Amino acid sequence: MSGTLGGVHRASLMTPLALALAVTALVACGNGEPAATSGTTPATSTEATTPPESSTPAAPPSSAPPPSSASEQPPPPAKGKVVVLDPGHNGGNSKNPAVINKPVPAGRGKGKPCNTTGTQTNAGYTEHAFTWDVANRVRNALTAKGVRVELTRPNDTGVGPCVNERAEIGNRANADAVVSIHSDGSTTAGHHGFHIIYSNPPLNPAQGTPSAKLAGAVRDAMRDGGIPLSNYTGKAGLNGRDDIAGLNLSTRPAIMVECANMRDATEAALAASPEGRQKYASAIAEGLLRYLA
């Protein structure tokens, strides 16, 4: 048949509804997918729509270092430092008078006996036992902070060493600090408290400012620890002297700590108790750590 019917084109005979359906079918087929069936609701997708890629470039990795682990933390300020502790006297000194009375150099052109027996409390607790115990407590505290500690004697049953050899031990060790630990024995009623002796006038640079700074640091720590300053010698807990062989002969920063008066009843009881000796040791160790920092 021809494309016309009685001179009228076929399309002009289509009803409006039929024309609308035909257009819908053509649009649906235009994207290559089947047309939706009339009256059917399309299923909703459960997948998230992928957003378009951003044209902004990704930020570069942060240049900040990751948090440090515990093993990467900086070492304690005193780690690697060297301290020589000199516990005064020795347990065998009293039985060996010929050895300890032998003259040795004491510095400043003078001489002194090799060593002495030390003092004791009225109840018989000896200075040499006190200093040995306190020195070991200080050593333990410092070692825990990474400090290398040497003692001038290996036990509390030997003789000596002489005061000049004790000074030489600190010198050979190239010690950052030398502390000689003692206790006083004043028999005058009411005398109590600690004091720190340093070489004065100094004989070398180490006995000058470094030793004075060491003396001040230990004095402050002991005072802060509740230990009273001496009320009978020195000034504000410090006492410069020129007659202490171990200080005169030292080429390293060195002090002598007279922790207490062992003839004073209160301080004698403190020195004879483990708690009291720990109190002295903790304060001395704290002073050393302040100085070494």
Side-chain angles (χ1 to χ4, degrees), residues 251-274:
T251 59
R252 310 304 303 163
I255 60 173
M256 177 181 287
V257 182
E258 295 281 4
C259 294
N261 179 17
M262 296 187 81
R263 296 293 185 173
D264 175 79
T266 300
E267 294 192 337
L270 191 64
S273 70

Side-chain angles (χ1 to χ4, degrees), residues 84 148 150 164-165 167-175 251-252:
V84 170
R148 180 164 68 85
E150 294 186 24
N164 60 323
E165 173 59 18
E168 185 57 28
I169 291 172
N171 296 341
R172 287 197 304 264
N174 199 31
T251 59
R252 310 304 303 163

Side-chain angles (χ1 to χ4, degrees), residues 86-94 116-121 124-137 151 153 155-158 166 181-183 259 262 270-274 277-278 280:
D86 175 30
H89 315 289
N90 208 332
N93 284 5
S94 61
T116 61
T117 59
T119 189
Q120 61 183 21
T121 68
Y125 181 65
T126 62
E127 182 184 0
H128 66 78
F130 170 81
T131 63
W132 175 247
D133 186 88
V134 170
N136 278 277
R137 292 173 185 269
L151 270 61
R153 56 185 173 100
N155 52 53
D156 193 40
T157 58
R166 292 177 187 239
I181 300 173
H182 287 257
S183 270
C259 294
M262 296 187 81
L270 191 64
S273 70
R277 294 193 294 274
Q278 185 60 52
Y280 288 114

Side-chain angles (χ1 to χ4, degrees), residues 27-277:
V27 172
C29 294
N31 59 12
E33 296 180 4
T37 305
S38 176
T40 304
T41 303
T44 303
S45 172
T46 59
E47 297 182 1
T49 303
T50 303
E53 293 183 3
S54 173
S55 61
T56 304
S62 173
S63 60
S68 299
S69 64
S71 62
E72 296 173 338
Q73 294 300 316
K79 185 175 178 61
K81 301 288 187 177
V82 179
V83 168
V84 170
L85 300 176
D86 175 30
H89 315 289
N90 208 332
N93 284 5
S94 61
K95 296 180 180 179
N96 293 273
V99 176
I100 66 170
N101 289 330
K102 179 182 177 180
V104 298
R108 304 182 195 270
K110 300 177 181 179
K112 268 195 167 184
C114 164
N115 213 279
T116 61
T117 59
T119 189
Q120 61 183 21
T121 68
N122 292 332
Y125 181 65
T126 62
E127 182 184 0
H128 66 78
F130 170 81
T131 63
W132 175 247
D133 186 88
V134 170
N136 278 277
R137 292 173 185 269
V138 176
R139 177 178 63 178
N140 292 342
L142 295 179
T143 300
K145 297 295 185 179
V147 180
R148 180 164 68 85
V149 180
E150 294 186 24
L151 270 61
T152 58
R153 56 185 173 100
N155 52 53
D156 193 40
T157 58
V159 182
C162 297
V163 288
N164 60 323
E165 173 59 18
R166 292 177 187 239
E168 185 57 28
I169 291 172
N171 296 341
R172 287 197 304 264
N174 199 31
D176 294 287
V178 179
V179 176
S180 187
I181 300 173
H182 287 257
S183 270
D184 207 5
S186 173
T187 57
T188 302
H191 283 185
H192 68 273
F194 79 91
H195 65 280
I196 296 175
I197 304 170
Y198 59 96
S199 181
N200 188 50
L203 297 175
N204 56 55
Q207 292 178 13
T209 300
S211 291
K213 182 180 177 183
L214 174 60
V218 175
R219 184 275 309 273
D220 291 350
M222 294 183 73
R223 180 188 59 197
D224 295 347
I227 303 171
L229 300 172
S230 174
N231 66 352
Y232 63 97
T233 189
K235 183 178 181 180
L238 300 177
N239 191 8
R241 288 173 56 173
D242 64 1
D243 61 333
I244 305 298
L247 303 182
N248 288 339
L249 298 172
S250 179
T251 59
R252 310 304 303 163
I255 60 173
M256 177 181 287
V257 182
E258 295 281 4
C259 294
N261 179 17
M262 296 187 81
R263 296 293 185 173
D264 175 79
T266 300
E267 294 192 337
L270 191 64
S273 70
E275 296 79 12
R277 294 193 294 274

